Amino acid sequence: MTYFLAALFFTLLGVAYVKGYDLVKSRSPEHLVHFYLVMATIRMLLVATVVGLYVFFAPTREDAIRFALIILIMYAIMMVVTLKLRH
């Protein structure tokens, strides 16, 4: 269940990025760089918060390490996919 929620979390982050990119590109394309930096910061903070909360409440240390690794891998994949979709 935890990994399903993590995948849903990244899906929502990716959709927010793609929709936001389209909106900024149609209204003021000169601000795309600012949009990307703001979204990258928001995504990084949200991912760090989710990992931190899971590590704090994890039943075992091994579960926390496994979850953190999977989240970091999913974060890297999400960054590559969203960049490939919009650039």
Side-chain angles (χ1 to χ4, degrees):
M1 180 69 171
T2 303
Y3 300 113
F4 172 74
L5 291 176
L8 180 64
F9 172 69
F10 279 107
T11 302
L12 292 174
L13 283 177
V15 168
Y17 174 77
V18 170
K19 294 297 182 186
Y21 181 91
D22 290 340
L23 182 70
V24 172
K25 187 174 181 181
S26 68
R27 295 193 180 196
S28 60
E30 66 274 3
H31 293 292
L32 280 174
V33 174
H34 299 120
F35 169 75
Y36 177 74
L37 292 174
V38 168
M39 279 302 291
T41 303
I42 289 170
R43 289 189 289 190
M44 191 181 341
L45 289 173
L46 286 174
V47 168
T49 302
V50 166
V51 169
L53 287 173
Y54 189 86
V55 167
F56 185 71
F57 292 112
T60 64
R61 183 173 184 257
E62 291 79 22
D63 286 343
I65 292 170
R66 188 177 310 118
F67 182 79
L69 285 174
I70 288 174
I71 290 294
L72 291 175
I73 291 168
M74 290 173 75
Y75 179 74
I77 291 170
M78 179 195 61
M79 292 297 287
V80 169
V81 168
T82 54
L83 284 174
K84 290 290 183 185
L85 285 175
R86 293 295 149 197
H87 288 98

